[in-house]
Every structure is written in structure tokens, then in C-alpha cells.
Amino acid sequence: MKKIIFAGVISLILLGGFVYSTREVNNQTPKKPIPKLLSAAEMKAKLKKWEATPDGIQYKKWQASPAGKKVHASIAKISQSIKDKSNMEAVVTSLSLPPGSRLGFGVMVRINDADYILTLGLDKQGKNALDFKNEYEQLHSLKVNDKISIKSHSVSQAPKYSYPIIAGDYVERDHKQIYKRVLRKGGC
């Protein structure tokens, strides 16, 4: 009986050692080469090369068009507020984004007599029955002509849209927070 117990203990030790050793080998991450940062001259050359492509030509035409100039003028109106990450007073003008947009959940807003798309990320409402706290729940209660205060870290543009796109970080209505962007852990 002692020999059987001894053999069982030895086999468990050997098996545990084998599992532990293979786990350590698999946990080692392969070293990836760090991508080399491009110099200003290299970035300029890449941009010139892209501008010669059909997409680059189309973008340049859009920039020179009245719609492109309107978008750039709208961006200029709020660029200082974006840079300072200060509050921007807005009025909700539409609860839906332009047709065909793929920006996730968002609303149309007016800031300083210019229209903007306020995008707040992907709305996963109804995807998970165990998700008790939906971060967009209070945003769904917005109505047209509601006055809100927005903070953002960036504004972007795309030829597909006739409006600048504001990435919302923080939204409040009646001095109460109704949305705050959740930063992802362990990443950008």
C-alpha cells in the first residue's frame, strides 16, 4: 500500500513540474521589434505619396469644396475649447446621426451657431442581460432642444460627413453628469 501511495505522490510531483514548466515557457512573450518613428521629412514624403493616390486626390478636392471649407470653419470655432478641454455649451438638434453613419451612439448638436456630430462610442444596449449599468442609459433620455455641456479631447473630420465629429468625454444636463467616457485599462 505504501508503494502505491509513494508512486502516486511521485507521479503527481512529476506531472505538476511538467505543467509548471510548460506554463512558464508559454508565458514568455516574444519580443516584437519596436517600430521606428518617422522623421518629419519621412512623414512629409509619405503624405505627398498618399496625396497622389485616388483617395488623397478625392480628399484634397473635398477640402477645397464649400462643404470642406464649412467643416474646417466649424472646427476652428471650437478648437481652443478642445485644446483646453473646457466645457462647451450645446443644444441637441437631432437624436439621430446622418444616414449611413457608422460612428456608434451619438447625437447632433449645435455649438456657437455651427452643427456638429457628437459621438459617444458604441452603444451595446441589450447585448448583455447581466449589464445592470448601461453608461448610455441617461443619454437615451435626451430630447431635441435640450441644453447640454460637453467636454472633449478631439474633433475630427471625414469627407463622408458634412459636419465635424466631436468625440465626447463628458456630458452634463442641468448641472448633472449624464455621461463620462470610461478609459480602457492597460491601453490607449
Side-chain angles (χ1 to χ4, degrees), residues 46-65 68 72 159:
K46 274 194 158 200
L47 179 62
K48 288 285 186 189
K49 187 177 177 181
W50 177 79
E51 287 175 346
T53 66
D55 287 339
I57 293 168
Q58 183 180 0
Y59 179 74
K60 289 302 245 180
K61 284 181 185 176
W62 175 78
Q63 272 188 321
S65 73
H72 283 286

Side-chain angles (χ1 to χ4, degrees), residues 139-154:
L139 290 170
H140 287 291
S141 68
L142 285 174
K143 294 177 183 74
V144 174
N145 293 328
D146 276 355
K147 293 181 181 183
I148 58 175
S149 183
I150 303 167
K151 284 187 184 179
S152 176
H153 68 281
S154 70

Side-chain angles (χ1 to χ4, degrees), residues 87-88 108 119-120 131 159 187:
N87 283 344
M88 297 178 280
M108 296 294 297
T119 182
L120 301 157
D131 185 16

Side-chain angles (χ1 to χ4, degrees), residues 77-125:
K77 286 183 179 183
I78 63 167
S79 62
Q80 191 62 40
S81 295
I82 298 289
K83 187 177 179 181
D84 297 341
K85 294 184 181 168
S86 61
N87 283 344
M88 297 178 280
E89 299 302 319
V91 176
V92 177
T93 57
S94 175
L95 300 176
S96 61
L97 297 180
S101 66
R102 295 184 177 194
L103 298 171
F105 180 73
V107 294
M108 296 294 297
V109 295
R110 177 166 285 143
I111 303 170
N112 297 334
D113 296 324
D115 291 325
Y116 299 88
I117 296 172
L118 174 62
T119 182
L120 301 157
L122 299 176
D123 187 5
K124 299 172 186 144
Q125 183 180 19

